[in-house]
Amino acid sequence: MSRRLLMLCLSLMSLGGLAHCSKSPQESAQPAPAAPTTAAAPVKATAMTVIQEQQASWIRNFNPLIAPGTARWPTRAGVYEPLMVYNTLKGEFVPWLATKSEWSPDNKKLTLTLRSGVKWSDGQPFTAKDVAFTFELLKKHKALDFPAVWSFLEGVQAKDDTTVEFSLTRPYVPGLVYIVHQPIVPEHKWKDVQDPVTYTNETPVATGPFTEVKVFQNQIFELGRNPHYWQQGKPAVESLRFPAYPGNDQANLALLTGELDWAGSFVPDIERVFVAKDKENNHYWFPLVGNTTTLYVNTAKKPFDDVRVRKAISMAIDRDQIVKVAMYGYTRPSDATALSDAHDRWRSPEAVAAGDWTKFDQAKANALLDEAGLKRGENGMRTLPDKTPMKFDINVVTGWSDWVRAVQLIAQNLKQVGIDASLKTYDFSPYFERIQKGEYDISIGWTSDEPTPYHVYRDLMGTETLRPIGVVSARNWNRFGSKEADGLLHAFEATNDPAEQKKIAGQLQMFFVQNAPAIPLFPGPSWGEYSTRRFTNFPNKDNPYAKLTPNSPPENLFVLVEVKPK
Amino acid sequence: MRHLLRNLGLYAVAAWASLTLNFLIPRLMPGDPASIMFARFAGQLQPEAIDALRIAFGFTNEPLYLQYFTYVGHLFQGELGLSVAYFPAKVTDVIATGLGWTMLLAGAAVVISFVLGTGLGVVATWRRGGWLDSVMPPVLVFLGAFPYFWLAMVLLYVLGFVLGAFPLRHAYSDMLAPAFSGEFLLSVLHHLVLPASAIVIATLGGWMLSMRSTMVGILAEDYITMANAKGLSQKRIMFHYAARNALLPNITGFGMALGFVLSGSLLTEIVFSYPGQGYLLIQAVRNQDYPLMQGIFLTITLAVLAANLLVDILYVWLDPRTRAR
């Protein structure tokens, strides 16, 4: 090979490398407003900086129908909007694109009245046709039907411009939440979309407060106001900025340096780390309205099929210590109903009083285990009646540090009553596979996150969600199904009378407390932090108009329209 | 030339082996992406949603060998499939957002580190026993023992967070749109300093020491004595007679190092929120995003193979012995 040819090769290669290097950032460039002259220019006071997703670079995707979490936040509730928004703190559905919902007397027909005068961001009117079209899309493309509305829907009809009628296959009142939380897309834009399942919808036309994509680069994007928004004078915030942060550490760093106005991340020891930096402006609010962190025991296996053993394990656990040591005191011990504060309105005092098995009581735990025939051996450890030692792993996810600490404490607690339990960490995906297939003895986990206790209990003790061991089950990881609970659940589905619902919910709680299908540990905090340096009117404990966290759409809509520049 | 052709054959085999491993490894891991996605919304999705997700991602229960043929077939069409974590974006699009940045960071770091380290090695050996020779190696080896990301964090904290001399994150200022302007390029450079320094500091010692040890051997050679006897200038002897011959092992190391630096720069990128492949890979692993994982490993593998090929070509040019018949 001659030297000249070689030099040519080399120079070509280096050129190729250069061309590639310089091309890729250019390709991802979008037309952006004229850049300020200095790189360190302060952020415009009217742009609110938010972090909800942790990503290193942004992919442009504003499709509200695909799996939650795949499109950029707040596509589902902020760019697009649902018909109503359930407000967890107020315990009611707030009218949004729909003003009213009405059930037929047999609870098999739901009629929604829509708000008139709402416009899409391109100025076209929003009508009942758009709603019917959206639900038809879900019917045609199974992969878009995440809430599984077509498992109970028969048909959707636009009666006139502002009335939509949903007919159901059976009375199913809890289905309301899935229908009204569905983001609605415009028919005139989406009827020509080839495949809505893989559509990235780069320039959204929507009804929400923020519909204009002002900037979209790989490390930052900015959304501007919808010129036709139906709430007069809202939103007060001119635009939302989203810098890309790859992980919790980077996000927390940005929170501490005062770059972020609103976040929803877990910050350890927040008083010292965040609030103390700027007492006047740095605030957080962690109401206990998430789901409940729960210790699952596999009730399909001995000895966990015995209710006395489940209650004994629960009594052996010192929840006060776990809450203080593992959770930085952000939460409190759970009562025996397993309901978090999101369901406070439903809580039955009788059931709470009957549930003595979430109180720390080693003597009682030991007595119950003895009674169940699990005798202590020579070494003080218990064995099953057939002499196999009671030696169990408690599964937890590697790196979920708060839960890992909680499980360490639980393992110590159980050793004290003669059960040889030890911590076992798995990466998320094998952990999740084990709990779903029922291939575990004890595992820490979470409960469902829905407006009523119905779902919490359906997923912990209904037979509908029960699958045999070895088959993946989305819920009911404890493998506990009861016909009696089924009866109560069906009764709940068929009634629309609040008093009746509350009565059945109380009976469900009582049933749960008597049978202990799973062992609740503590209600989960809903993480939210904000800074009042540039914006005010965030929800907090003095003004709890909504959840503060950006992590539970569609409730973040309340915050998006209420926050004001200082 | 024959030497090159034989190497090309080796590269083809290496590429095939890595493609196959690339296909197998993710599939041997437990769990599946749909359930992970489900879990991300701890309890907010309906059980039926899992089935819907599986349909959306097009998971098949085809036998493995069929999946393998489809995979290889698509690969030759430049098709890497749809990403799961960034659904429904194409893997090629996702990788394109970060590839340029990773190449810039790793490339700049390797070149700077190589040139600087080798240069230091040459000078230190030439002035054996001087201050450079006695102070630098232990210091650099000490620094080189730290993992990249740890150095990155220290730099970030001291120079970025405490002193505020450099930006804490990203590849360019959020206020700028990418453009070919002096201002944008300056911003890119300013953002590159800390992450590149972390890699350079960690790798400098290796280059310097290996250069030094070969140089010491070369200096004892007869032709160096001969060159001295001929009265050539010291500079000419140092670079043309000693350094050029001592460079050979380091050049071989260069190709290998690129692989290590690429993987190391992934960690550095995460510390500085640098929009490269590093975090993409983590996202892919967390979400069991096989197509994206495969795509990223593929680009890394090909980059390392290409670098080694380049090194081979350079070698032919540097070492006349490889040009023999």
Side-chain angles (χ1 to χ4, degrees):
Chain A
M1 191 171 196
S2 75
R3 187 177 292 197
R4 201 178 312 157
L5 189 65
L6 209 138
M7 290 310 285
L8 189 73
C9 276
L10 279 181
S11 58
L12 276 178
M13 278 190 163
S14 60
L15 262 182
L18 276 179
H20 195 109
C21 277
S22 54
K23 209 169 63 182
S24 79
Q26 263 204 310
E27 279 172 349
S28 56
Q30 301 292 340
T37 41
T38 54
V43 177
K44 285 198 301 293
T46 49
M48 179 160 79
T49 310
V50 188
I51 174 165
Q52 195 275 332
E53 307 172 88
Q54 295 176 348
Q55 310 243 325
S57 56
W58 296 123
I59 300 287
R60 189 163 178 158
N61 177 351
F62 295 100
N63 180 341
L65 301 180
I66 53 177
T70 41
R72 299 288 64 75
W73 187 90
T75 301
R76 284 178 77 86
V79 179
Y80 290 85
E81 289 181 320
L83 297 161
M84 291 186 172
V85 184
Y86 183 77
N87 188 326
T88 305
L89 288 146
K90 293 213 161 55
E92 61 186 16
F93 282 98
V94 177
W96 213 258
L97 290 177
T99 50
K100 200 164 93 222
S101 69
E102 202 177 341
W103 286 98
S104 63
D106 64 352
N107 290 327
K108 281 182 72 173
K109 205 171 241 128
L110 174 71
T111 310
L112 292 179
T113 310
L114 304 183
R115 197 177 291 280
S116 45
V118 175
K119 284 200 171 79
W120 295 101
S121 52
D122 60 358
Q124 299 256 13
F126 157 85
T127 69
K129 280 208 189 64
D130 296 308
V131 178
F133 170 81
T134 303
F135 280 93
E136 287 301 330
L137 269 185
L138 301 198
K139 188 178 184 176
K140 219 165 40 202
H141 301 274
K142 265 261 159 288
L144 298 177
D145 191 5
F146 295 100
V149 288
W150 286 97
S151 64
F152 58 85
L153 277 185
E154 203 165 47
V156 180
Q157 231 188 344
K159 285 283 179 212
D160 57 45
D161 273 357
T162 56
T163 318
V164 194
E165 201 173 75
F166 296 83
S167 20
L168 278 63
T169 51
R170 59 187 165 112
Y172 189 62
V173 176
L176 176 71
V177 64
Y178 306 123
I179 293 173
V180 300
H181 273 186
Q182 175 60 41
I184 303 300
V185 297
E187 183 178 14
H188 66 277
K189 283 285 172 197
W190 284 67
K191 64 178 191 295
D192 306 325
V193 172
Q194 281 289 326
D195 181 9
V197 180
T198 55
Y199 179 56
T200 51
N201 190 27
E202 297 197 350
T203 319
V205 169
T207 59
F210 297 96
T211 53
E212 193 203 345
V213 186
K214 283 177 129 170
V215 178
F216 204 97
Q217 291 166 19
N218 59 353
Q219 54 185 29
I220 186 143
F221 72 96
E222 194 168 337
L223 294 176
R225 269 196 287 234
N226 173 358
H228 297 284
Y229 194 48
W230 55 270
Q231 296 195 51
Q232 286 301 317
K234 288 178 179 175
V237 175
E238 201 170 297
S239 63
L240 304 174
R241 291 173 85 254
F242 301 93
Y245 303 105
N248 232 357
D249 298 347
Q250 289 85 349
N252 288 348
L253 185 63
L255 199 62
L256 305 188
T257 53
E259 289 165 66
L260 286 177
D261 298 307
W262 184 25
S265 43
F266 168 75
V267 182
D269 200 5
I270 191 158
E271 282 287 350
R272 191 178 57 84
V273 172
F274 174 59
V275 178
K277 289 261 184 302
D278 182 352
K279 274 216 176 332
E280 196 170 326
N281 291 313
N282 290 356
H283 305 281
Y284 71 95
W285 184 40
F286 297 161
L288 302 176
V289 292
N291 48 46
T292 301
T293 302
T294 298
L295 193 69
Y296 284 97
V297 292
N298 194 335
T299 63
K301 288 186 175 178
K302 285 202 172 334
F304 304 119
D305 55 349
D306 185 338
V307 61
R308 289 171 300 188
V309 176
R310 296 197 293 267
K311 287 183 176 173
I313 289 177
S314 176
M315 285 182 192
I317 297 171
D318 184 357
R319 288 176 177 74
D320 286 314
Q321 188 197 15
I322 290 173
V323 163
K324 203 165 68 220
V325 175
M327 297 302 296
Y328 298 92
Y330 291 158
T331 173
R332 56 170 166 77
S334 170
D335 65 29
T337 62
L339 298 178
S340 80
D341 288 3
H343 300 128
D344 239 355
R345 275 167 219 82
W346 301 89
R347 206 183 297 281
S348 135
E350 296 83 26
V352 174
D356 60 344
W357 47 271
T358 48
K359 294 193 179 55
F360 180 51
D361 189 342
Q362 279 185 339
K364 236 181 188 161
N366 277 320
L368 269 178
L369 290 168
D370 291 339
E371 190 189 320
L374 308 163
K375 297 276 178 283
R376 279 181 190 260
E378 301 284 301
N379 57 357
M381 286 295 158
R382 295 176 185 275
T383 55
L384 294 179
D386 65 0
K387 291 285 174 271
T388 41
M390 284 186 73
K391 193 172 168 22
F392 306 113
D393 282 339
I394 308 179
N395 298 356
V396 62
V397 182
T398 312
W400 291 15
S401 49
D402 47 349
W403 281 17
V404 170
R405 274 196 302 271
V407 168
Q408 280 168 330
L409 295 169
I410 291 170
Q412 287 168 9
N413 287 158
L414 292 184
K415 281 205 176 73
Q416 286 159 349
V417 294
I419 298 174
D420 188 3
S422 46
L423 163 103
K424 177 99 181 153
T425 57
Y426 289 100
D427 273 339
F428 181 79
S429 115
Y431 152 88
F432 197 55
E433 186 169 37
R434 280 185 165 76
I435 199 169
Q436 284 191 308
K437 286 189 170 172
E439 291 166 349
Y440 70 96
D441 294 321
I442 310 177
S443 181
I444 196 169
W446 58 88
T447 58
S448 299
D449 211 349
E450 303 272 354
T452 70
Y454 158 85
H455 286 101
V456 178
Y457 292 132
R458 186 194 68 166
D459 295 344
L460 289 174
M461 53 200 197
T463 56
E464 214 180 307
T465 49
L466 191 63
R467 302 278 178 282
I469 288 216
V471 176
V472 169
S473 166
R475 303 300 318 171
N476 206 328
W477 301 327
N478 41 334
R479 295 322 203 242
F480 183 96
S482 133
K483 284 274 171 256
E484 193 183 333
D486 276 0
L488 292 170
L489 292 166
H490 288 310
F492 192 96
E493 287 169 11
T495 176
N496 191 21
D497 168 29
E500 181 68 11
Q501 286 179 337
K502 197 161 163 100
K503 192 182 106 210
I504 301 168
Q507 290 166 321
L508 279 166
Q509 289 171 58
M510 199 47 121
F511 184 85
F512 184 89
V513 166
Q514 284 160 354
N515 293 284
I519 300 166
L521 298 171
F522 48 83
S526 146
W527 314 111
E529 299 88 16
Y530 65 95
S531 153
T532 52
R533 201 166 304 126
R534 291 176 286 264
F535 296 92
T536 57
N537 207 21
F538 285 94
N540 52 32
K541 62 177 178 300
D542 307 321
N543 181 16
Y545 65 82
K547 274 187 188 179
L548 170 63
T549 186
N551 306 334
S552 79
E555 290 189 61
N556 56 274
L557 267 169
F558 298 122
V559 183
L560 287 178
V561 297
E562 293 303 333
V563 168
K564 297 183 176 67
K566 209 164 175 177
Chain B
M1 208 57 232
R2 188 177 309 166
H3 164 85
L4 268 187
L5 281 175
R6 196 177 50 227
N7 277 352
L8 275 179
L10 278 176
Y11 284 127
V13 173
W16 173 78
S18 59
L19 290 186
T20 308
L21 281 177
N22 197 0
F23 167 83
L24 283 176
I25 290 170
R27 281 171 177 74
L28 298 175
M29 286 168 34
D32 82 280
S35 21
I36 292 198
M37 201 126 194
F38 180 84
R40 232 194 289 163
F41 311 103
Q44 288 177 24
L45 284 185
Q46 284 309 290
E48 292 84 351
I50 287 208
D51 303 334
L53 274 170
R54 287 214 174 88
I55 299 172
F57 295 141
F59 284 121
T60 53
N61 293 329
E62 280 187 327
L64 218 52
Y65 69 92
L66 279 180
Q67 286 186 40
Y68 181 66
F69 286 134
T70 339
Y71 160 80
V72 174
H74 281 170
L75 218 55
F76 279 106
Q77 299 157 18
E79 270 281 332
L80 295 170
L82 294 183
S83 159
V84 174
Y86 295 92
F87 188 81
K90 283 202 182 78
V91 168
T92 40
D93 293 349
V94 176
I95 290 179
T97 59
L99 193 60
W101 296 113
T102 297
M103 284 189 146
L104 176 70
L105 175 60
V110 168
V111 170
I112 293 171
S113 178
F114 178 79
V115 172
L116 207 63
T118 311
L120 279 174
V122 171
V123 175
T125 329
W126 199 250
R127 311 222 169 107
R128 264 191 314 271
W131 68 268
L132 191 70
D133 193 32
S134 29
V135 175
M136 285 304 264
V139 170
L140 287 178
V141 169
F142 176 71
L143 285 175
F146 289 111
Y148 296 57
F149 58 91
W150 190 85
L151 283 171
M153 281 182 194
V154 171
L155 286 175
L156 176 74
Y157 182 73
V158 177
L159 292 172
F161 189 71
V162 178
L163 298 174
F166 291 99
L168 298 178
R169 69 182 62 91
H170 291 170
Y172 54 90
S173 160
D174 291 339
M175 296 291 151
L176 296 175
F180 262 115
S181 63
E183 189 194 359
F184 177 71
L185 292 176
L186 273 178
S187 172
V188 168
L189 280 178
H190 193 209
H191 283 72
L192 190 63
V193 172
L194 286 188
S197 307
I199 302 175
V200 169
I201 291 171
T203 50
L204 209 52
W207 295 123
M208 181 173 175
L209 287 183
S210 68
M211 192 66 194
R212 190 179 174 278
S213 55
T214 27
M215 270 288 270
V216 168
I218 299 274
L219 288 182
E221 292 282 352
D222 290 346
Y223 56 80
I224 300 286
T225 324
M226 177 74 186
N228 271 320
K230 280 199 295 191
L232 292 176
S233 79
Q234 288 299 301
K235 212 181 241 167
R236 190 169 169 82
I237 298 173
M238 179 161 103
F239 287 113
H240 279 253
Y241 284 65
R244 185 174 165 182
N245 287 308
L247 203 55
L248 294 175
N250 253 17
I251 292 279
T252 318
F254 185 81
M256 311 282 267
L258 196 67
F260 292 117
V261 168
L262 267 176
S263 52
S265 76
L266 299 186
L267 296 169
T268 315
E269 278 174 8
I270 292 165
V271 174
F272 290 99
S273 313
Y274 209 77
Q277 306 279 280
Y279 185 71
L280 287 182
L281 186 58
I282 288 215
Q283 276 294 81
V285 171
R286 275 189 199 150
N287 296 299
Q288 300 234 323
D289 187 346
Y290 302 151
L292 185 56
M293 265 189 255
Q294 282 167 193
I296 292 170
F297 287 135
L298 195 69
T299 45
I300 292 177
T301 313
L302 292 181
V304 172
L305 286 176
N308 276 299
L309 185 63
L310 201 71
V311 164
D312 268 351
I313 295 172
L314 265 176
Y315 216 84
V316 171
W317 176 56
L318 283 168
D319 189 350
R321 287 170 299 185
T322 52
R323 276 176 262 172
R325 291 165 308 284

